[in-house]
Structure formats: structure tokens, C-alpha cells
Amino acid sequence: MNLILLGAPGAGKGTQATKIAERYGIVHISTGDIFRANIKMGTEIGLLAKSYTEQGLLVPDEVTCAIVKDRLTWEDCQKGYLLDGFPRNLYQAEQLDTFAKIDGVVNINIDHKLLMDRLCGRRVCKECGESYHVSTLGGKTTCDRCGGELYQRKDDNPETVGARLAVYNEQTAPLIDYYSKKGLILNFTGSEAPAEVLFGEIKAVLDKFAK
Ligand code: ADP
Ligand code: ZN
């Protein structure tokens, strides 16, 4: 089962992606995680990506598409994969069609009023990637799951979040229509309820789908 996860920044893609990948035994591929790892390691791709991610802009398509195209040739993709954060515009979607066969697109709709606060208050575990919101941490600085240190992503500030949401609206949202026309969209609604609630809904649909 090869899936795409669509949704605005802050919709909860990362959290749902981890749960989906675990339940269905497929690989979670996050282009954002790939870029952050490269930035941390100071690779050539990292140096290039940094200037874009820091402004909330998309890393150039040629670079991003080449990374994903290569990643999908790895052995572990044989059992299926979940693309999180790719494609992000029509060009990337068209490119993906030339090297992948997608079975479904999980689209998380969410009230955009929730997103600014969610993203600016987000804290992420350095070790396992789990997300938290400052309002629920009560000053705690370590991860409940693994004890790892929590940090704030450099692009989770009001200015950059504004740019990321604009990019989503202009470039990524049209993909909902693109995949609807192909009959691939599975629609869900995110909310302030715990992530488990949304995952329950996604699971109910994907369990039937995976058969
Ligand atoms: P979010 O969905 O929370 O904004 P991601 O972790 O998916 O964040 O991505 C972080 C940043 O990495 C993006 O703002 C962008 O700069 C870059 N990026 C991730 N995926 C892509 C992509 N498919 N194309 C271009 N840039 C990307
Ligand atoms: Zn952790």
C-alpha cells in the first residue's frame, strides 16, 4: 500500500504518519525530516535546503524530486510507503506519477485558525520526533515517550509559519483537486481532540482499504 498524506502545516501529519506506518508496516518518508537531517549533518543538500526552510519556502523541485525518486528505490519501500510532505505542488505530483504508483491519499482538513497557535507552541522530541504543545507541558522539557530533549523547530515562529501557510494555500491545496479527480482522496477532519481520535477514523477506513 503506497500512500500520500496531505494537510496544512500543523494539521498533525507527522503524528498520524507515525501511527499509520506502524500499523500497516509501511515506511514513513518525510521530506521535511530528510531536509532537517541534512541541515544538521551539514551536507550539500542541507546547505541548500536551509535557506528555504528557514523562510518557509519550498526547496527547489529538482532537488526534492530527485531525493524522493531515489528514496523510493530502497529495498524497504517494497512493503509500501507513506509520503509525508511530498508532493507539495502540482509539478511534484506530476513527477511522482512518473516513478510511483499511489493507492490512496489521506487528506487531513483542519480549521486554519488552529494552526498558528499549534505550530508556534509546538515542541518536538530530538530523539523520537514526538510533538507536544507548550500549554500541556507545564514547564517539562523532556519527552514522555523516550526521555529525549524537547526543542522548538527553527521554522515554528509566527513569521515563518505565515509563509508556510501561504505556500500551502497557494501551491499544495490544489493537490486535493488533483487527486480527487483520480479518485484517490480519503478525507478526514482534524480537530483539537487527541490525535488518537483522528487516528481511529483513519484506521477504520484504511483497514478496509489495505485488504
Ligand atoms: P510542515 O508541514 O510542518 O510545514 P515539513 O517538516 O513537512 O513541515 O517541511 C519543512 C520544510 O521543509 C518546508 O517548509 C520546506 O521548506 C521543506 N520541504 C519539505 N517537503 C518539501 C517538498 N516536498 N518540497 C519542497 N520543500 C519541502
Ligand atoms: Zn521522544
Side-chain angles (χ1 to χ4, degrees), residues 9 13 31-32 36 53 57 59 64 85-86 88 92 153 164:
K13 291 194 298 294
T31 41
R36 279 185 291 279
T53 58
L57 302 175
V59 177
T64 310
F86 184 92
R88 250 179 161 89
Q92 292 181 5
R153 262 171 56 175
R164 284 156 65 201

Side-chain angles (χ1 to χ4, degrees), residues 1-3 20-28 76 79-82:
M1 179 165 69
N2 301 332
L3 301 173
I20 294 169
E22 194 181 320
R23 179 169 179 92
Y24 300 101
I26 60 180
V27 199
H28 173 200
D76 60 357
K79 55 191 176 189
Y81 50 79
L82 172 64

Side-chain angles (χ1 to χ4, degrees), residues 1 46-47 50 52 56 81 88 92 102 108 113 115 121 146 157 161 165 170 178 184 196:
M1 179 165 69
L47 287 178
K50 195 169 191 279
Y52 295 94
Y81 50 79
R88 250 179 161 89
Q92 292 181 5
I102 299 301
I108 306 177
K113 285 199 291 280
L115 300 177
C146 77
N157 63 74
V161 167
L165 292 175
E170 285 159 24
Y178 180 83
L184 291 175
E196 271 307 325

Side-chain angles (χ1 to χ4, degrees), residues 125 127-130 132 143 145-148:
C125 174
E127 305 301 327
C128 74
E130 180 81 341
Y132 297 87
C143 176
R145 261 176 73 186
C146 77

Side-chain angles (χ1 to χ4, degrees), residues 95-111:
Q95 286 299 302
L96 182 64
D97 283 339
T98 69
F99 57 79
K101 165 87 181 67
I102 299 301
D103 302 305
V105 179
V106 172
N107 179 40
I108 306 177
N109 296 294
I110 188 155
D111 184 349

